[in-house]
Amino acid sequence: MTALKNDRFLRALLKQPVDVTPVWMMRQAGRYLPEYRASRANAGDFMSLCMNPEFACEVTLQPLDRYPQLDAAILFSDILTIPDAMGQGLYFETGEGPRFKKVVSTLADIEALPIPDPHKDLGYVMDAVSTIRRELNGRVPLIGFSGSPWTLATYMVEGGSSKDFRKTKAMLYDNPQAMHLLLDKLAQSVTSYLNAQIMAGAQAVQIFDTWGGNLSAAAYQEFSLAYMRKIVSGLIREHEGRKVPVIMFTKGGGLWLESIADAGADALGLDWTCDLGEARQRVGNRVALQGNMDPTVLYAKPEAIRTEVGRILASYGKGSGHVFNLGHGITPEVNPEHAGAFLRAVHELSAQYHE
Ligand code: CP3
């Protein structure tokens, strides 16, 4: 394997010294980029991009070619590949987000769900990982990812996106045993899926718990965090002679940072509702932090973006252990020039915080 030319992302996740604060953006390959929209039109649709390793590689590299400041690449795929591999039939309705042909409603439905074999059932993802790793040729590290069991369960039970998670919450409170069985099957699936990504070449992994923050404090512990903890304890943590850091991102998890920090991950992703400096004090030395600029700041002018980047860097303060990111994914309406201004500001303004 080629040596990494830029490893500041991996170093910051392990709190090792860096020259400047590393940066990447959630959803950095996506519809705000005209080159992405062209590739998608070429492939036909979004799932065809994901399922063809050459297309997945092409769109993964697009933001890196446009923005030399990016310190990591993220596998182009989706969290809903797992429910699809469990037989739910994922499809995307234009402008309406993800949908499933089959919905999970009863204990019998859950008992019937298979645990996917990552090589047989999700081989296209592993092929994408190894293709991207080869094409990156050591430029920056490659991040693999999965959804958290709770977040995946919401899509599987609702049959798609939801505002209130009516069916999923009803199942949780009416039939907690059924929900636990579903989450347990998902935790097993996610563990082997992420381990297969690591073996195929992912150099760090992120668990997206996009909807964990929608739970009560007690339900979060029991129905989301417990399963992420189980996943992390089953992950390969060293590969190719290097640590493979794990990032846990619960959107809306700011109230529970202390317990998330104890769940075994190397780093926590933060949304923009918490102050980064306060979060650093609360988690102490246990984990690194990733985040947390409000993605809508990118609608403002480059000068305002730069001011906000400076404020967040000052809030974290001196030393390693911070990976700059947005607090959630970049949105399709963002001007690509503004994303560039954001990334440049992170490197330019952060040198003063490192020795
Ligand atoms: O970050 C990256 O660049 C890697 C690619 C990536 C995608 N989805 C591509 C995508 C990642 C990491 C995801 C994760 C994902 N997918 C999450 C968790 C992260 C988050 O944003 O909270 C969730 C909840 C999903 C499920 C999903 N996929 C939804 C709700 C949608 C539709 C919403 C939307 O933005 O249109 C998708 C589709 C999707 N996944 C797109 C992309 C680039 C847009 C599809 C298109 O091109 O039309």
Side-chain angles (χ1 to χ4, degrees):
M1 280 286 170
T2 332
L4 262 178
K5 293 166 194 125
N6 169 359
D7 66 351
R8 55 168 85 91
F9 167 71
L10 296 179
R11 295 180 62 82
L13 290 175
L14 300 170
K15 294 174 156 268
Q16 295 163 353
V18 288
D19 54 347
V20 292
T21 303
V23 62
W24 68 282
M25 298 184 290
M26 288 191 272
R27 287 281 178 98
Q28 64 192 19
R31 286 166 295 179
Y32 74 107
L33 291 177
E35 55 271 36
Y36 169 82
R37 296 195 298 269
S39 297
R40 191 182 59 178
N42 223 349
D45 56 22
F46 168 68
M47 281 314 285
S48 307
L49 283 180
C50 296
M51 291 189 158
N52 177 321
E54 305 304 323
F55 274 127
C57 179
E58 178 180 306
V59 294
T60 299
L61 298 183
Q62 283 170 348
L64 296 158
D65 291 338
R66 187 188 267 261
Y67 308 115
Q69 295 79 15
L70 282 171
D71 293 300
I74 181 162
L75 160 70
F76 190 84
S77 188
D78 200 79
I79 63 166
L80 301 177
T81 52
I82 285 186
D84 186 54
M86 289 174 138
Q88 281 197 276
L90 173 66
Y91 65 101
F92 282 82
E93 210 74 274
T94 324
E96 294 201 33
R99 287 282 174 82
F100 288 111
K101 292 193 187 116
K102 274 205 229 163
V103 175
V104 170
S105 326
T106 64
L107 179 60
D109 294 341
I110 295 168
E111 283 169 340
L113 288 172
I115 301 203
D117 176 323
H119 300 287
K120 279 216 310 272
D121 305 316
L122 291 154
Y124 66 92
V125 178
M126 306 314 143
D127 291 344
V129 171
S130 49
T131 305
I132 297 162
R133 233 345 252 290
R134 190 188 66 225
E135 292 304 313
L136 274 171
N137 195 26
R139 250 160 103 179
V140 292
L142 175 61
I143 306 168
F145 71 90
S146 170
S148 72
W150 167 252
T151 294
L152 294 175
T154 65
Y155 288 97
M156 295 172 77
V157 175
E158 303 293 334
S161 301
S162 171
K163 285 203 175 76
D164 52 9
F165 307 104
R166 199 148 33 104
K167 296 177 189 161
T168 325
K169 294 277 185 81
M171 184 189 284
L172 185 160
Y173 290 107
D174 281 336
N175 200 346
Q177 284 92 339
M179 183 53 82
H180 277 303
L181 180 64
L182 175 57
L183 295 169
D184 192 67
K185 284 190 166 193
L186 285 167
Q188 290 180 51
S189 307
V190 169
T191 306
S192 62
Y193 183 55
L194 288 178
N195 279 337
Q197 290 184 32
I198 292 166
M199 293 309 289
Q203 291 151 294
V205 292
Q206 174 155 327
I207 303 173
F208 285 91
D209 188 25
T210 306
W211 304 121
N214 208 274
L215 289 163
S216 73
Y220 176 71
Q221 295 287 330
E222 182 180 344
F223 294 94
S224 188
L225 190 59
Y227 291 95
M228 292 199 283
R229 185 182 290 118
K230 195 168 168 186
I231 291 164
V232 173
S233 73
L235 290 181
I236 296 165
R237 301 298 280 273
E238 207 172 311
H239 187 55
E240 301 173 47
R242 246 189 126 123
K243 287 237 163 84
V244 181
V246 180
I247 307 161
M248 218 183 251
F249 171 58
T250 291
K251 183 160 175 282
L255 290 170
W256 314 315
L257 292 185
E258 291 83 354
S259 58
I260 306 174
D262 278 333
D266 299 282
L268 305 191
L270 301 178
D271 67 35
W272 61 94
T273 61
C274 36
D275 178 82
L276 189 59
E278 277 172 31
R280 186 183 189 182
Q281 289 208 320
R282 285 168 60 196
V283 303
N285 241 334
R286 285 173 287 179
V287 286
L289 296 172
Q290 176 176 278
N292 70 340
M293 192 174 89
D294 181 346
T296 62
V297 173
L298 297 178
Y299 297 136
K301 294 192 178 69
E303 299 72 35
I305 295 168
R306 197 175 165 88
T307 303
E308 190 60 13
V309 167
R311 199 194 56 72
I312 293 169
L313 287 169
S315 169
Y316 187 81
K318 279 196 183 305
S320 186
H322 177 213
V323 171
F324 216 116
N325 203 317
L326 305 172
H328 199 201
I330 187 169
T331 49
E333 300 78 14
V334 166
N335 177 342
E337 306 271 324
H338 291 204
F342 161 68
L343 298 168
R344 281 193 301 278
V346 173
H347 281 185
E348 285 168 20
L349 300 176
S350 64
Q352 59 181 304
Y353 296 101
H354 302 281
E355 300 277 310

